């Protein structure tokens, strides 16, 4: 319903050229994939600057491309605090995590957990990682389809399926080297696409940026959230803590990033890649907040255009046979937050000129493809190394392991696609992804920190800590579903605090039980 016009043939041609180019890159690198070492870590020959842009491209998914402008449009710049937290996590990663992983020589981020605590710890972290990746890939598939539905006029499911096939083909063919070098191209392309979108929006607003600034200031759009120590709402501190812990998980426990550390020529190049990704991502994310705020100003000074969007949403929700009164009532009930994720596609359909539209569609595709292909490659590597080879075929030959990696990549891609299809109809991409990532990531980050920091903690204490932590995470995640008679069991903290509470619960529970065990030994020795 939001499709106001068919995409011109010139723009459609640009999109197809981009897709075939990506598959062509995958085919080019497929000729170099002769063994698992090349497929999973490119034989450690990638320069740091390319890895840095690759990490940046993975961060800058369609969740950012669509979700961040939507958050800025519907509320304020509170979510930008997430970006502010990144340098702190990058410092920890470059100083401790990168040397640790490269010294182990293990391509999997989770092998060390088995050495520290046993096979259960490795398996638990792998399951958490895979669930996180399926949620991430699904949300990215959904975000891509939500935008392209408005531009192309096809159903979201058909867009996801076609794009899923293309992504699976080039990821399977090229391995990690193809993923990294295509992400370099994609990172540049989607940054240029974002700049083009902003210029087109500003062009449509009389007075340009000064008008945007005046409207945004009057509506408190630049607010980063309350500075009060309020953890019940999305305050400055809630997003800062969430951002620090989730980025610590990304740099320290996420196979997407750990695998890239191994592709670097040296430790210095690996550290450079992390800092480069942060230095690019922070201003790039600010650009997307400016886009969202500019869209808010544009629709404020063009109420008729805003009404056309609301009317389209009413027809989509109520059906084309709905009465004029029902449509009018529905439109009056809508708030900017209700249609925040729709404004960018709506603007692009109606205001982006020919050729530019094709380039922007390619940019949106690149935002999705880089994240999904990266997740597919990392998930296939983890499945092959930590599950299939660990539990089923320990003596797996390199040739058969190579085949397993190919097969796992296809299966992971299909699962991510199915998750994306199941997400059709959600309200906010960014909110959903933040909540799911907090649920799945909190446990494994707490266990990882416990293993690195507390050398005295052993298998039993770590296992107890994880059990306690998982119970707390589940309780936190679903306590809002409890009925009014159980209101006293509900956790009043904001959902973004799940990863913070889960991580700290596991870490400190492990420390406490370690101290109890040490104290018990001292008492027994004294007796």
């Amino acid at each position: 319903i939001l499709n106001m016009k068919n995409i011109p043939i010139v723009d459609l041609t640009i999109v197809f050229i981009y897709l075939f180019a990506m598959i062509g890159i995958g085919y080019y690198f497929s000729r170099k994939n002769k063994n698992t070492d090349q497929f999973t870590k490119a034989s450690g020959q990638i320069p740091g600057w390319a890895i840095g842009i690759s990490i940046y491209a993975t961060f800058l998914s369609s969740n950012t491309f669509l979700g961040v402008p939507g958050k800025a449009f519907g509320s304020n710049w509170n979510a930008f605090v997430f970006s502010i937290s990144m340098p702190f996590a990058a410092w920890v990663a470059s100083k401790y995590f990168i040397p640790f992983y490269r010294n182990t020589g293990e391509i999997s981020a989770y092998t060390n957990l088995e050495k520290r605590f046993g096979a259960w710890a490795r398996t638990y972290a792998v399951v958490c990682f895979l669930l996180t990746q399926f949620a991430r890939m699904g949300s990215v598939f959904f975000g891509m389809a939500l935008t392209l539905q408005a531009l192309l006029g096809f159903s979201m499911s058909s867009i996801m399926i076609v794009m899923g096939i293309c992504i699976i083909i080039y990821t399977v063919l090229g391995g990690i080297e193809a993923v990294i070098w295509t992400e370099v191209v994609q990172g540049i392309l989607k940054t240029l696409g974002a700049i083009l979108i902003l210029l087109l929006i500003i062009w449509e607003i009389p007075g340009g940026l000064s008008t945007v600034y005046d409207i945004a200031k009057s509506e408190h759009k630049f607010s980063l959230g309350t500075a009060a120590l309020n953890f019940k709402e999305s305050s400055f501190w809630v997003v800062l803590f969430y951002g620090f812990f989730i980025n610590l998980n990304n740099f320290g426990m996420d196979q997407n990033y750990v695998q890239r550390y191994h592709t670097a020529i040296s430790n210095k190049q690996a550290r450079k890649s992390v800092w480069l990704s942060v230095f690019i991502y922070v201003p790039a994310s600010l650009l997307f907040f400016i886009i969202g705020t500019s869209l808010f100003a544009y629709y404020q000074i063009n109420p008729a255009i805003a009404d056309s969007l609301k009317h389209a949403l009413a027809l989509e929700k109520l059906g084309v046979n709905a009465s004029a009164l029902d449509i009018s009532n529905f439109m009056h009930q809508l708030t900017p937050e209700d249609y925040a994720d729709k404004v960018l596609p709506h603007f692009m359909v109606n205001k982006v000129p020919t050729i530019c539209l094709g380039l922007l569609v390619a940019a949106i595709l690149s935002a999705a493809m880089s994240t999904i292909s990266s997740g597919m490659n990392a998930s296939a590597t983890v499945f092959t190394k930590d599950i299939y080879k660990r539990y089923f075929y320990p003596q797996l030959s390199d040739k058969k392991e190579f085949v397993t990696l190919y097969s796992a990549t296809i299966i992971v891609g299909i699962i991510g696609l199915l998750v994306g299809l199941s997400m059709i109809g959600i309200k906010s991409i960014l909110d959903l992804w933040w909540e799911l990532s907090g649920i799945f990531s909190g446990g494994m980050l707490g266990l990882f920190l416990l293993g690195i920091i507390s050398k005295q903690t052993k298998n039993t204490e770590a296992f107890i800590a994880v059990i306690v932590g998982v119970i707390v995470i589940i309780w936190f995640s679903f306590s809002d579903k409890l009925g009014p008679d159980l209101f006293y069991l509900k956790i009043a903290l904001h959902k973004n605090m799940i990863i913070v509470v889960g991580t700290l619960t596991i870490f400190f529970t492990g420390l406490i039980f370690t101290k109890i065990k040490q104290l018990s030994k001292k008492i027994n020795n004294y007796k």
Side-chain angles (χ1 to χ4, degrees), residues 113-143:
L113 287 175
E114 180 171 2
K115 294 176 181 178
R116 279 288 284 115
F117 301 125
W120 70 267
R122 180 180 184 178
T123 303
Y124 167 72
V126 167
V127 170
C128 287
F129 169 75
L130 290 175
L131 290 174
T132 303
Q133 289 309 299
F134 295 151
R136 181 176 178 82
M137 287 188 286
S139 65
V140 171
F141 265 121
F142 171 73

Side-chain angles (χ1 to χ4, degrees), residues 28-332:
Y28 171 79
F29 282 105
S30 67
R31 296 177 300 174
K32 300 177 65 176
N33 286 323
K34 304 301 181 183
N35 52 58
T36 56
D37 187 66
Q38 175 64 29
F39 188 87
T40 58
K41 56 183 181 181
S43 300
Q45 295 299 312
I46 306 294
W49 64 267
I51 301 170
I53 297 177
S54 167
I55 294 174
Y56 157 70
T58 301
F59 267 116
L60 195 62
S61 66
S62 59
N63 290 351
T64 304
F65 218 98
L66 185 65
V68 168
K71 292 294 288 184
F73 180 93
S75 55
N76 51 37
W77 285 18
N78 174 236
F80 180 63
V81 180
F82 176 91
S83 301
I84 296 175
S85 72
M86 288 184 69
F88 301 102
W91 180 85
V92 176
S94 62
K95 188 172 179 61
Y96 299 106
F97 296 162
I98 289 175
F100 170 77
Y101 281 118
R102 285 184 61 89
N103 289 338
T104 64
E106 298 286 351
I107 188 64
S108 169
Y110 313 111
T111 305
N112 180 68
L113 287 175
E114 180 171 2
K115 294 176 181 178
R116 279 288 284 115
F117 301 125
W120 70 267
R122 180 180 184 178
T123 303
Y124 167 72
V126 167
V127 170
C128 287
F129 169 75
L130 290 175
L131 290 174
T132 303
Q133 289 309 299
F134 295 151
R136 181 176 178 82
M137 287 188 286
S139 65
V140 171
F141 265 121
F142 171 73
M144 171 189 66
L146 185 64
T147 305
L148 296 184
Q149 179 194 35
L151 300 174
L152 304 177
F154 302 114
S155 68
M156 290 180 66
S157 56
S158 61
I159 291 171
M160 285 191 210
I161 292 170
V162 172
M163 295 312 306
I165 292 172
C166 292
I167 295 171
I168 289 171
I169 290 174
Y170 104 79
T171 306
V172 168
L173 286 175
I176 190 64
E177 189 170 11
V179 168
I180 289 175
W181 285 111
T182 52
E183 283 180 337
V184 170
V185 176
Q186 291 164 345
I188 296 170
L189 179 61
K190 52 193 173 185
T191 304
L192 294 176
I195 294 171
L196 178 59
I197 290 173
L198 180 59
L199 293 175
L200 291 171
I201 298 170
I202 299 301
W203 180 264
E204 294 289 335
I205 299 175
L209 282 174
S210 61
T211 301
V212 173
Y213 177 80
D214 292 338
I215 293 175
K217 186 178 180 181
S218 65
E219 297 290 336
H220 308 290
K221 287 291 180 179
F222 297 124
S223 172
L224 296 178
T226 176
L229 291 176
N230 183 347
F231 298 103
K232 295 182 179 180
E233 61 183 68
S234 188
S235 65
F236 175 92
W237 298 107
V238 164
V239 180
L240 184 70
F241 286 136
Y242 169 83
F244 176 73
F245 277 82
I246 205 71
N247 284 313
L248 206 59
N249 180 79
N250 288 337
F251 291 132
M253 282 294 291
D254 193 318
Q255 180 69 22
N256 284 293
Y257 305 91
V258 173
Q259 193 164 338
R260 281 166 171 75
Y261 302 157
H262 291 288
T263 66
I265 298 171
S266 64
N267 284 8
K268 182 179 180 181
Q269 290 292 307
R271 285 193 291 268
K272 182 188 293 186
S273 70
V274 169
W275 281 113
L276 180 62
S277 69
V278 171
F279 287 144
I280 301 175
Y281 182 81
V282 173
S285 66
L286 178 61
L287 176 64
F288 283 97
F289 279 96
I290 296 173
I291 288 173
T293 303
S294 300
L295 282 169
F296 179 82
Y298 171 76
Y299 281 90
Q300 282 286 99
I301 62 179
N302 292 284
I305 297 176
D307 285 341
S308 71
L309 171 57
K310 294 177 183 178
H311 188 266
L313 290 171
L315 293 178
E316 188 178 273
K317 181 71 175 179
L318 303 176
V320 293
N321 296 321
S323 68
L325 180 60
D326 287 339
I327 291 174
S328 177
N329 289 336
F330 181 85
M331 290 172 61
H332 280 97

